[in-house]
Amino acid sequence: MFIGRKDYLELLSEWKDKKTIKVLTGLRRIGKSEILNEYEKKLLIGKQIQESQIIKYDFNDPLLSSVTYLDLYKQILEKANKNKINYLFLDEIQEVKEFEKCVTGLFEHKTIKFDIYLTGSNSHMFSEQLATLLGGRKIEIQILPLTYYELKNSDIENNIDNYLIYGGMGEIVEYYKQHKLAEMKIKQIFNDTIKNDIINRYNIRNKEEFTKIIEYSFKTIGKHLNPQNIFDFLHSNKQKVISKPSIIRMHNQICSSIVLNKVKYYNTKAKTSLNSKAKYYAGDLGMFSAIVGFNPNDSYRSVRIENLVFLQLKKLNYEVYTSIDYLNREIDFVAVKNNTKKYIQVCDELNENNYERESRSLLWIKDNYEKFILCNENNLKEEKEDGIKIINIKKWLLDLEKDFYHNFPKI
């Protein structure tokens, strides 16, 4: 099911014909291929290009499993139009060993012109391999799950629980009303991602310990996490002892597949990020459920809502941080964009009994930027005397993104 991804399609249009490689990264099955297909249709329907100018490969195709970068390079040159720009779509290109040599050769070709679009499920790999040969001549566009706003014409509009449990992968949305099928599909995608994008790619041998690290990382989403936490957890569960450098390497490999996203701590006084501390959030809410279960009212409900807010801020191009006050009380998010900041606390239900707890770290901040508490259920008025705005999370999700599309940024 393709549900319009207007922002990504417009962004690709903005970059069309510019001497830059367009790299779409994101989780497996998140919709990268569908976005490229829709972009291709847009170019053809608008008669911006001719079909003969398009060259495309999908490296999920088993028939291409043995192709080498040199074979691919020769094939593309044979197909290329010598007199016009060629629009090259290479889907899941990381499946080709040393693909960057092929891409660089085509990008720098002296006589044949290429406008190159790549997709892949490993952002770290793309950054390392392409940066070595291309430097700054690429733009990475991270494809995120469908948002609540994008799904507003489906039953998700009136049932946020579905979104919190099953996430925003396009093919999962088709199964929202068939819960068992949705759960099976999510688990399959999660297992395929872990196997293909991490275990096989990095040749991980300590699979049992690696699985425990994944489980622990997901079950501590929204909390401070470092190698010592993981080391202590493994030791307490009598797992085989793994060195801290190995733990760091494995955890970085998990993050490289975009299954987990790192959020650094922000020093609100110094106005800088702190590299030594971080929290992590799932790349899709369905992935989170694959580990912790599919009960919308379990002990992870507040964490799911917090993760949802993180993904929404990322989608709207905010730099996302977390922070703490001088008494070590957390501010869930510091969202930074265009030299402005928003301070955000997130909770499921807000009332007189927990307002003081949710607001105290926000009140400690003395600058004049907006301060919010986002909640699913609210029994208080929308703005308190202390200047903190209280917003229903469903209203915030719809209004904020509607404004984003209305004022879509141009490059």
Side-chain angles (χ1 to χ4, degrees):
M1 174 185 291
F2 184 82
I3 296 174
R5 312 302 301 269
K6 177 183 174 183
D7 51 339
Y8 295 126
L9 294 174
E10 290 194 14
L11 191 56
L12 289 174
S13 296
E14 287 286 315
W15 282 101
K16 177 179 176 288
D17 295 337
K18 291 182 169 58
K19 193 63 176 174
T20 301
I21 294 176
K22 280 64 76 174
V23 181
L24 278 63
T25 61
L27 287 165
R28 280 183 180 263
R29 320 286 268 282
I30 202 68
K32 303 182 295 294
S33 304
E34 289 79 1
I35 289 170
L36 274 191
N37 290 337
E38 288 299 311
Y39 178 60
E40 177 189 344
K41 290 178 188 176
K42 181 179 179 181
L43 294 178
L44 291 172
I45 292 171
K47 297 183 179 180
Q48 299 178 47
I49 64 173
Q50 297 174 342
E51 195 163 356
S52 60
Q53 292 174 259
I54 294 173
I55 303 172
K56 59 193 296 189
Y57 287 82
D58 177 2
F59 295 100
N60 286 315
D61 186 341
L63 294 175
L64 297 174
S65 60
S66 61
V67 71
T68 68
Y69 80 87
L70 190 55
D71 292 336
L72 182 63
Y73 181 74
K74 292 176 181 177
Q75 286 180 28
I76 291 171
L77 287 182
E78 287 175 5
K79 295 179 179 180
N81 189 313
K82 307 299 186 290
N83 302 312
K84 296 181 178 179
I85 296 176
N86 296 274
Y87 294 84
L88 181 60
F89 301 108
L90 302 177
D91 198 4
E92 297 295 345
I93 184 62
Q94 79 276 354
E95 301 299 333
V96 179
K97 189 176 181 181
E98 297 184 291
F99 73 88
E100 67 276 10
K101 293 180 180 179
C102 169
V103 171
T104 304
L106 297 169
F107 182 74
E108 296 179 339
H109 202 280
K110 300 297 183 184
T111 58
I112 303 176
K113 295 181 180 179
F114 291 94
D115 191 14
I116 301 175
Y117 301 80
L118 313 178
T119 79
S121 306
N122 191 311
S123 63
H124 181 67
M125 180 200 65
F126 270 116
S127 297
E128 282 193 341
Q129 290 176 270
L130 287 177
T132 302
L133 295 175
L134 290 172
R137 293 173 292 176
K138 66 177 179 65
I139 176 71
E140 181 178 335
I141 302 169
Q142 185 178 350
I143 307 302
L144 293 164
L146 289 160
T147 64
Y148 187 80
Y149 178 85
E150 287 171 318
L151 293 171
K152 69 187 180 71
N153 292 322
S154 71
D155 65 338
I156 191 63
E157 184 177 5
N158 297 312
N159 188 353
I160 199 168
D161 283 349
N162 275 346
Y163 191 74
L164 289 171
I165 293 299
Y166 301 122
M169 290 191 177
E171 63 183 86
I172 299 300
V173 173
E174 298 180 51
Y175 301 102
Y176 267 5
K177 294 181 179 179
Q178 299 168 284
H179 299 321
K180 291 299 179 185
L181 291 178
E183 292 171 17
M184 289 173 62
K185 195 74 174 173
I186 288 168
K187 288 178 181 178
Q188 177 198 334
I189 293 172
F190 181 83
N191 291 334
D192 287 348
T193 300
I194 299 304
K195 178 183 176 183
N196 295 320
D197 291 339
I198 308 176
I199 292 176
N200 291 348
R201 188 165 307 285
Y202 295 109
N203 194 26
I204 291 173
R205 296 178 182 177
N206 297 324
K207 294 180 183 178
E208 183 178 351
E209 291 75 20
F210 180 72
T211 300
K212 291 294 181 183
I213 291 173
I214 290 176
E215 289 179 0
Y216 182 74
S217 298
F218 271 83
K219 288 180 178 179
T220 54
I221 275 177
K223 298 179 181 178
H224 173 57
L225 183 66
N226 61 28
Q228 185 65 50
N229 300 145
I230 300 172
F231 182 85
D232 292 343
F233 166 75
L234 293 174
H235 184 73
S236 67
N237 282 269
K238 299 181 180 179
Q239 297 294 314
K240 179 180 176 182
V241 176
I242 304 178
S243 67
K244 288 181 186 176
S246 294
I247 289 172
I248 292 171
R249 185 181 67 252
M250 287 184 179
H251 197 263
N252 286 340
Q253 289 164 349
I254 295 169
C255 293
S256 74
S257 69
I258 325 177
V259 171
L260 286 176
N261 291 267
K262 184 177 184 178
V263 176
K264 297 178 182 178
Y265 275 76
Y266 187 86
N267 186 324
T268 54
K269 286 191 173 181
K271 299 180 181 179
T272 57
S273 64
L274 306 174
N275 291 321
S276 60
K277 301 184 71 176
K279 296 198 298 186
Y280 294 84
Y281 291 95
D284 177 71
L285 287 160
M287 293 290 186
F288 183 52
S289 296
I291 290 291
V292 303
F294 295 88
N295 181 355
N297 297 308
D298 60 16
S299 60
Y300 293 101
R301 181 175 175 83
S302 293
V303 180
R304 294 179 201 274
I305 295 173
E306 194 175 318
N307 205 131
L308 167 58
V309 171
F310 163 75
L311 289 170
Q312 182 70 36
L313 291 170
K314 284 274 290 181
K315 177 66 186 296
L316 301 183
N317 297 327
Y318 283 93
E319 293 177 49
V320 186
Y321 303 92
T322 186
S323 189
I324 52 176
D325 67 11
Y326 73 106
L327 291 176
N328 217 34
R329 298 177 300 209
E330 280 201 348
I331 301 165
D332 289 331
F333 298 112
V334 182
V336 181
K337 184 166 70 172
N338 299 333
N339 297 317
T340 64
K341 292 195 284 283
K342 298 180 187 291
Y343 299 104
I344 301 171
Q345 291 289 76
V346 183
C347 64
D348 186 14
E349 182 178 355
L350 189 67
N351 52 49
E352 292 291 354
N353 294 327
N354 66 353
Y355 178 77
E356 192 274 334
R357 184 187 72 228
E358 297 293 343
S359 65
R360 58 193 176 190
S361 56
L362 294 175
L363 293 172
W364 173 76
I365 300 169
K366 300 305 179 185
D367 64 33
N368 294 319
Y369 293 111
E370 290 182 300
K371 302 172 181 67
F372 300 93
I373 297 177
L374 303 179
C375 55
N376 193 35
E377 295 183 24
N378 172 34
N379 296 316
L380 304 175
K381 59 184 180 180
E382 291 192 354
E383 183 161 359
K384 301 284 282 186
E385 291 77 5
D386 50 30
I388 294 174
K389 295 179 181 178
I390 301 169
I391 303 177
N392 175 273
I393 195 163
K394 286 178 278 191
K395 183 178 187 302
W396 178 80
L397 290 168
L398 296 175
D399 290 352
L400 191 66
E401 195 161 355
K402 190 185 298 181
D403 182 63
F404 170 75
Y405 279 119
H406 181 71
N407 300 289
F408 189 78
K410 303 293 184 184
I411 63 169

